Amino acid sequence: MAAFAVGSAARAAPPLEVYGRLPAVDLVDLAPGGESFALVGRDGDARRLFVRKTDGTPVYVAAVGDSKVRDLEWIGDDQLVVFGSSTMQIPDLSFEKMEWMGGVHIDLNTKASYILMKESHTYLPAVFGWFGQAHIGDRWYGYFADYTYDQIAPSYQSRMIWPDLYRMDMATGKVDKAAPAGAGDTDWAVGPDGALLATGAFDSRGQGFKLTAGKWSGPILLTRSPQTGDSEVRLAGLGRTPGTVLVRERNDQDTVVREIQVSQGGEGEVLTHGDVELLRGRLNRQLIGWREGSNGAVHMFDPAIQRRVDASRKAFPGLNVTLVSYDETFDHLVMLTDGSDDSGTYWLVDIPKKSARRIDHANPLIKPEDVGPVRMIQYKAADGLALDGALTLPPGGAAKNLPLVVLPHGGPIVLGDGAQFDWWAQAFASRGYAVFQPNYRGTLGYGEAFRKAAYGEVGRKMQTDISDGVAALAAQGIIDPKRACIVGASYGGYAALAGVTLQHGLYRCAVSVAGVGDFGRMITWDSVRDGSDMRGVNFWRDLSGASAGQNLADISPVRQAAKADAPILLIHGLDDTVVPIEQSKMMEKALKAAGKPVEFVTMAGEDHWLSKEPSRKAMLAAAVAFVEKHNPAN
């Protein structure tokens, strides 16, 4: 992989395509024993899976190509499962095109590999949930959800069906059924010895949740009924000690993680509040701590481990530091740094040796002097709600009267943007733009009241939260409010369309990547796709205000296309299974009918997430060219 060379001479910004490249290093994961690690990385122009000893000795390498690798899962220290997804329609099935997850098992001793379920004529060649592994006797077993072809035969399409839990002998690939699904969307908690501790299922018909000991037919431990669009309860794996499981629950007041004794049931103990990432032991998969999504702070139950994590983060002063992976004993950790002069670097931290060795750079062609400075900006919405956002400035430039690109995040109810390296923001900054990424109301990590403040405010206060941030930047003299464009993907794409149709006089242009144009049609599409499971539909009805009787046409850019006051660029992947490309097609048609300027770029073979490098580069080239045409930086 490329070495990292620091140059001192001033030079032009890197080519734009550098920012659209997939990371040169990604998905770094330590083996439980800490002697090896796996990663997906670039080798010249090729992407490969590498497994190495912690001293750098090669163990295994295989071509990845343009496969969409999503995760790595160690099975002990000598086996690895590589999970990836493909957008496709399985032959002989009546399902529409979907994003299917699958896996490849690799034996690192023999170098043999096989695709999970590929040779079976009984089960779908896919994985619908991974529920860990167990070491039983001298063998490793993996647990995952899947369907049989008999379950999903066309004659069964009139009813909702759910995948069952299966156990696979990882050495042979032999599969046997471990447990049936519950009465709906089901999760299981499997102990490190292979014992099934609990089953949790959301009943799509009754809209309720039930947790049972062992299989679905076992004793009831906890119930919640009914669930509304704003509430959700799920079984979330093993607790801190044997015999305990976790339930993650969101209700009208809070989001909590509960620990429940399987032998007792009941409400259980609340361990933490808020939207957090649960951290687990590498072998027993029991809860050992959690990470806050808003700032990356790590909280471990074991004080000794907490000290190791804290010391590792403090070893990189002035940078954002993220715990990526760790071994069973926390003797070795993988950290990712980024910041004002760091476009992303993976480090292997050796606690006993008190050393940190660089694994490699995520973006080696973006040098320290090419990284635009990023900081958080605090401001208030028109109704007084405290907000913030990430501001990225051009590298080496003065922060005064700059042209602006507003880049709202997707989701929308997801963790927001922080002062971190963002390839899309940095690409615009390298061309002379200030880039503002607002964390509008509803963004996670700011408490339940902040999240709830978004309901009924799509296209309303969620939208003005964005433009209120632009006004705050203008008041500080950082940007020129007359030289602004708005760009975004997914919900951010909707916000871009709304910025020039529902709002006026704010932006010179808008770029929507896979954005929603018509909320009524989008909710109908979700309803048909999800069948009797109404959680997603209820969520969008509540967020959009439809459940409160508000008119969706008022917040749908397609319906307001005649009011567009700036040119619009639409970009959409043909294989998008989250926001169908019909949303952009409807927007283009409505704009053309109204005589409004619009351009439309489609990306063949691309999904909702811009997973493929050619599409990322094409999107970036089109978006930057459009912004430079209508809002030149100079």
Side-chain angles (χ1 to χ4, degrees):
M1 296 184 192
F4 191 67
V6 179
S8 57
R11 67 185 194 284
L16 190 62
E17 67 175 17
V18 165
Y19 296 89
R21 287 163 64 97
L22 290 173
V25 180
D26 197 13
L27 297 175
V28 184
D29 195 25
L30 278 162
E35 295 184 358
S36 305
F37 64 91
L39 62 86
V40 175
R42 187 184 295 274
D43 184 10
D45 290 330
R47 294 179 68 241
R48 302 185 190 278
L49 168 71
F50 296 90
V51 180
R52 299 172 178 166
K53 294 291 186 182
T54 51
D55 64 5
T57 303
V59 174
Y60 180 87
V61 62
V64 172
D66 62 354
S67 299
K68 296 187 287 189
V69 181
R70 303 301 191 188
D71 198 11
L72 304 174
E73 189 74 41
W74 284 90
I75 310 295
D77 289 324
D78 300 317
Q79 301 178 62
L80 189 68
V81 177
V82 181
F83 289 102
S85 70
S86 298
T87 311
M88 61 181 181
Q89 188 169 21
I90 293 183
D92 302 324
L93 298 182
S94 59
F95 288 154
E96 62 183 17
K97 185 178 288 187
M98 296 172 58
E99 195 74 11
W100 296 86
M101 185 72 74
V104 175
H105 172 270
I106 302 168
D107 186 316
L108 296 173
N109 290 322
T110 66
K111 307 300 188 289
S113 63
Y114 63 84
I115 299 174
L116 303 187
M117 312 303 291
K118 182 180 180 181
E119 302 305 324
S120 172
H121 299 289
T122 302
Y123 311 103
L124 262 67
V127 174
F128 294 87
W130 176 258
F131 298 94
Q133 63 278 343
H135 196 233
I136 305 173
D138 61 349
R139 310 189 74 81
W140 282 101
Y141 294 87
Y143 294 80
F144 60 93
D146 199 3
Y147 294 94
T148 65
Y149 278 98
D150 288 343
Q151 279 181 291
I152 57 176
S155 61
Y156 287 87
Q157 291 303 301
S158 61
R159 64 181 179 86
M160 292 295 295
I161 55 173
W162 304 97
D164 298 320
L165 180 68
Y166 291 90
R167 184 183 79 161
M168 172 179 281
D169 184 327
M170 302 309 297
T172 65
K174 181 181 178 181
V175 174
D176 60 89
K177 188 172 179 178
D185 188 8
T186 307
D187 295 302
W188 295 269
V190 180
D193 60 353
L196 178 60
L197 269 71
T199 302
F202 167 78
D203 182 350
S204 60
R205 292 180 173 80
Q207 304 296 300
F209 171 84
K210 183 169 71 173
L211 178 70
T212 59
K215 295 183 179 181
W216 178 244
S217 57
I220 297 175
L221 302 175
L222 181 75
T223 60
R224 291 286 188 270
S225 181
Q227 294 187 67
T228 67
D230 190 41
S231 65
E232 183 177 12
V233 188
R234 293 199 79 108
L235 174 60
L238 303 178
R240 294 170 294 178
T241 57
T244 64
V245 296
L246 303 174
V247 169
R248 189 191 296 267
E249 178 176 9
R250 168 172 288 156
N251 53 43
D252 289 338
Q253 290 79 37
D254 204 357
T255 296
V256 299
V257 175
R258 300 180 185 276
E259 183 179 60
I260 297 175
Q261 289 280 350
V262 172
S263 61
Q264 299 175 7
E267 294 294 303
E269 177 186 356
V270 173
L271 299 181
T272 181
H273 296 257
D275 291 278
V276 299
E277 177 188 356
L278 302 178
L279 304 175
R280 305 184 182 281
R282 298 304 306 273
L283 293 175
N284 62 22
R285 302 191 319 283
Q286 290 173 184
L287 183 70
I288 59 175
W290 69 85
R291 173 169 40 215
E292 295 180 32
S294 56
N295 57 21
V298 175
H299 304 270
M300 309 300 294
F301 295 115
D302 186 328
I305 292 179
Q306 183 71 58
R307 287 192 293 271
R308 291 189 170 198
V309 174
D310 292 344
S312 298
R313 298 187 75 194
K314 291 177 181 177
F316 304 96
L319 295 173
N320 300 308
V321 185
T322 303
L323 174 64
V324 174
S325 184
Y326 46 87
D327 62 15
E328 181 69 16
T329 61
F330 275 75
D331 283 343
H332 298 90
L333 299 87
V334 173
M335 295 290 188
L336 172 63
T337 62
D338 70 87
S340 59
D341 61 353
D342 185 348
S343 60
T345 308
Y346 286 92
W347 300 88
L348 178 62
V349 178
D350 188 317
I351 295 295
K353 293 183 179 179
K354 298 181 180 180
S355 67
R357 181 171 61 84
R358 189 188 70 196
I359 295 173
D360 220 321
H361 295 271
N363 301 284
L365 299 183
I366 302 175
K367 308 303 182 184
E369 61 268 30
D370 296 325
V371 179
V374 190
R375 69 177 189 265
M376 298 304 293
I377 298 292
Q378 281 73 41
Y379 65 101
K380 286 190 176 182
D383 64 358
L385 184 65
L387 300 168
D388 69 15
L391 176 66
T392 303
L393 298 175
K400 185 177 181 181
N401 206 36
L402 292 169
L404 177 68
V405 170
V406 182
L407 191 62
H409 64 75
I413 310 300
V414 297
L415 293 171
D417 293 304
Q420 296 173 316
F421 181 90
D422 181 288
W423 64 274
W424 203 357
Q426 290 286 339
F428 276 111
S430 74
R431 269 53 197 167
Y433 296 93
V435 182
F436 179 55
Q437 296 171 277
N439 292 319
Y440 45 77
R441 68 190 66 206
T443 303
L444 298 181
Y446 297 86
E448 290 301 302
F450 191 88
R451 181 181 66 84
K452 292 284 290 184
Y455 282 74
E457 298 298 343
V458 169
R460 301 175 181 94
K461 289 183 179 180
M462 287 177 70
Q463 193 69 29
T464 56
D465 285 350
I466 297 170
S467 50
D468 287 341
V470 175
L473 293 174
Q476 297 177 47
I478 298 173
I479 61 100
D480 179 354
K482 295 181 180 179
R483 294 195 295 158
C485 283
I486 184 168
V487 179
S490 194
Y491 182 85
Y494 163 77
L497 296 175
V500 297
T501 56
L502 277 60
Q503 295 179 294
H504 302 100
L506 296 173
Y507 307 108
R508 286 187 171 187
C509 67
V511 180
S512 170
V513 181
V516 173
D518 188 318
F519 261 99
R521 293 285 292 272
M522 186 68 203
I523 290 175
T524 298
W525 183 81
D526 273 339
S527 178
V528 172
R529 182 182 62 169
D530 294 344
S532 62
D533 188 344
M534 296 297 292
R535 286 173 295 180
V537 171
N538 289 340
F539 165 79
W540 282 112
R541 285 181 54 80
D542 290 347
L543 196 68
S544 66
S547 59
Q550 299 189 65
N551 188 355
L552 290 178
D554 293 340
I555 61 166
S556 295
V558 166
R559 307 297 179 181
Q560 306 297 324
K563 298 178 182 179
D565 68 345
I568 292 174
L569 171 63
L570 304 168
I571 304 175
H572 217 124
L574 292 175
D575 284 348
D576 194 329
T577 59
V578 177
V579 176
I581 196 171
E582 283 70 25
Q583 286 286 321
S584 288
K585 290 180 177 179
M586 288 188 293
M587 191 72 211
E588 180 193 34
K589 181 178 180 180
L591 289 167
K592 285 184 174 180
K596 301 295 181 176
V598 59
E599 298 178 29
F600 192 9
V601 174
T602 60
M603 297 178 292
E606 189 50 76
D607 56 27
H608 187 68
W609 306 279
L610 296 173
S611 298
K612 297 183 178 181
E613 185 170 299
S615 299
R616 281 175 42 135
K617 291 180 177 178
M619 180 284 293
L620 202 54
V624 171
F626 190 80
V627 170
E628 289 181 329
K629 175 182 177 180
H630 297 286
N631 185 33
N634 299 316

